[in-house]
Amino acid sequence: RQRQMCIRDSSAASRAHAMWALEGIATLSDDDIIPLLNDAEGFVRLQAARLVTSRSAMSEDVTNALMQRQNDSAAVQRIVALAAGANSSRVAAEALANIAVARCDSPWFRKIILSSSKELSGILVERLAENARHTESSRQTEAGAFLADLAAVVGARGDIDEIAQTLKATAHKQGDSLWAQTAILTGLSRGLSRHRGDLKQKSLSALLASPPPQIADMTESVESLLAESAECVLDPSRSTEAVSYTHLRAHETRHDL
């Protein structure tokens, strides 16, 4: 009873202190830490998040509880993002995607997510593209740069299934989201030129000209998207898309096969 009072019924500072003390003598169980990850006090949640990520391993239940803090304070979100990158579960991928959407205009979070998402970049591109129509115009430049960086990771990895997932994110236009689709193609083009693996096509143009089976049914829609993006160069009201398209064509000109 006294032990439970220390970690659940005392002040926030006392709960945090008791938590670390019990961890130090290896008696803090998952049943103890999960309520602390959901504590009403932000300070306690932050300490609990720091504690569980300091362990050499987390159980599935603790991992899931930590991922549920994806909408917490920036300090907790940072811990969640870093932990999600080291976990291949669906829950972790969803948490990282939600943080990416919420924090796409933060340079600090973009760096954290890029460093944590090597094998999840395709999923993040897909989620950010889905959210593009809800992105305020003031955030589109930063969000577009983030999308391009994530897509570049996909291209550099050269995993054709992930490339197909990324191209699929550009195939269905939803509202005024051409800026996002063009940014994805720009990043993919940049990444393909850096690929040093087995994928033969080292540029977007080459990929569309000689598509692997996984993307053969997407080439027409991507070519149509490129044509629409080109029209933006002549439209002063669509400067975001025009800049993205200009970057894309410049990069393809340098690296086209």
Side-chain angles (χ1 to χ4, degrees):
R1 173 61 183 166
Q2 185 176 8
R3 180 175 182 274
Q4 291 302 312
M5 286 181 62
C6 288
I7 61 173
R8 295 185 183 178
D9 301 331
S10 57
S11 67
S14 296
R15 290 198 298 278
H17 177 77
M19 171 179 62
W20 282 104
L22 291 171
E23 179 71 3
I25 57 175
T27 60
L28 189 71
S29 69
D30 287 359
D31 288 340
D32 293 327
I33 195 64
I34 289 174
L36 294 167
L37 283 166
N38 296 304
D39 196 273
E41 293 290 339
F43 172 74
V44 176
R45 296 195 302 273
L46 175 60
Q47 293 301 312
R50 287 175 173 168
L51 187 150
V52 297
T53 52
S54 71
R55 291 174 168 176
S56 58
M58 284 188 284
S59 69
E60 182 178 353
D61 288 342
V62 170
T63 298
N64 290 342
L66 177 63
M67 294 302 114
Q68 292 303 314
R69 303 319 312 165
Q70 61 194 258
N71 297 317
D72 211 308
S73 66
V76 174
Q77 282 184 316
R78 172 186 174 276
I79 296 172
V80 173
L82 290 171
N87 191 293
S88 59
S89 71
R90 180 193 60 80
V91 173
E94 185 70 14
L96 192 60
N98 287 337
I99 294 173
V101 168
R103 299 288 187 174
C104 66
D105 55 350
S106 166
W108 186 55
F109 268 98
R110 290 203 299 269
K111 290 179 180 178
I112 291 171
I113 293 167
L114 282 168
S115 70
S116 304
S117 63
K118 179 181 177 182
E119 297 183 2
L120 298 173
S121 296
I123 295 173
L124 300 189
V125 168
E126 188 175 48
R127 282 295 307 277
L128 284 165
E130 289 173 357
N131 191 69
R133 68 186 185 277
H134 303 302
T135 304
E136 298 174 1
S137 57
S138 60
R139 303 177 72 202
Q140 288 179 5
T141 298
E142 291 82 2
F146 190 28
L147 270 169
D149 286 342
L150 288 166
V153 175
V154 173
R157 277 168 50 81
D159 183 299
I160 192 58
D161 291 326
E162 191 176 33
I163 289 173
Q165 179 183 32
T166 300
L167 286 175
K168 187 177 180 180
T170 72
H172 304 290
K173 186 174 180 182
Q174 299 178 340
D176 189 16
S177 59
L178 183 60
W179 62 270
Q181 295 165 304
T182 308
I184 293 169
L185 296 181
T186 301
L188 189 60
S189 172
R190 190 170 75 225
L192 284 168
S193 70
R194 299 173 183 169
H195 176 61
R196 297 296 180 265
D198 297 331
L199 186 66
K200 295 179 180 179
Q201 299 90 337
K202 298 297 194 295
S203 74
L204 183 60
S205 297
L207 194 68
L208 296 176
S210 181
Q214 294 92 328
I215 67 166
D217 61 346
M218 303 179 198
T219 56
E220 184 177 347
S221 63
V222 174
E223 293 284 8
S224 175
L225 173 61
L226 289 171
E228 184 178 359
S229 298
E231 295 176 2
C232 295
V233 176
L234 303 178
D235 186 348
S237 68
R238 305 178 77 176
S239 58
T240 302
E241 295 96 327
V243 169
S244 294
Y245 176 78
T246 301
H247 288 169
L248 171 61
R249 294 315 307 167
H251 197 275
E252 285 293 295
T253 299
R254 290 196 300 271
H255 295 280
D256 205 1
L257 298 180

